[in-house]
Amino acid sequence: MFEGGLSMGADVAAVATAILALVAFAQFHLHRRARRKRLEEYLKTQKASPHKFSPQDQGQRTLIHLSARLGMTEPEIMDAAFRSRRIVRRISPDLLGNASALLLEYCDETGPPT
């Protein structure tokens, strides 16, 4: 009688663990999708609205700017940017031509980044 109770308890625990893992997995992917959508929407509005201080503004934003505005960490922003087909990564060169900053920009076309 005691062995049957343990076996049933182990079965219930296994099912509960599987359900909790599935819920955690779904929640993780929903949060990643929400961060990607939030980044895409922010960059889309930045590209659409002209910047009053810089007429050459193309809507490109640095990781630090995006982190401050969106309340996301830099790794979260990079994860969202690299998973998005609409965000293009650009490099801002210094005087010697070396990369000094990574800029993210919204692009309507879903082609490969240039």
Side-chain angles (χ1 to χ4, degrees):
M1 182 163 99
F2 187 67
E3 289 178 17
L6 284 179
S7 176
M8 190 171 87
D11 292 342
V12 169
V15 169
T17 301
I19 291 171
L20 287 175
L22 184 61
V23 168
F25 178 78
Q27 187 177 27
F28 172 74
H29 281 284
L30 286 174
H31 283 299
R32 283 178 67 185
R33 183 179 185 276
R35 284 192 294 262
R36 181 179 55 84
K37 289 289 188 184
R38 187 169 39 163
L39 178 62
E40 286 176 352
E41 288 301 316
Y42 181 77
L43 288 173
K44 185 177 182 178
T45 59
Q46 291 296 300
K47 187 168 187 136
S49 61
H51 197 272
K52 60 183 174 183
F53 299 116
S54 175
Q56 300 90 358
D57 185 19
Q58 299 173 355
Q60 299 171 342
R61 299 295 179 260
T62 64
L63 291 176
I64 293 174
H65 172 91
L66 293 168
S67 183
R69 298 290 184 196
L70 298 175
M72 296 165 47
T73 63
E74 289 183 8
E76 289 172 340
I77 293 170
M78 291 300 297
D79 178 54
F82 278 98
R83 283 184 303 103
S84 174
R85 286 181 258 155
R86 291 195 164 87
I87 296 178
V88 178
R89 289 141 327 259
R90 308 261 188 225
I91 296 174
S92 174
D94 62 6
L95 296 175
L96 299 175
N98 299 323
S100 65
L102 178 65
L103 302 171
L104 301 178
E105 177 183 358
Y106 182 84
C107 185
D108 287 326
E109 299 84 34
T110 57
T114 56

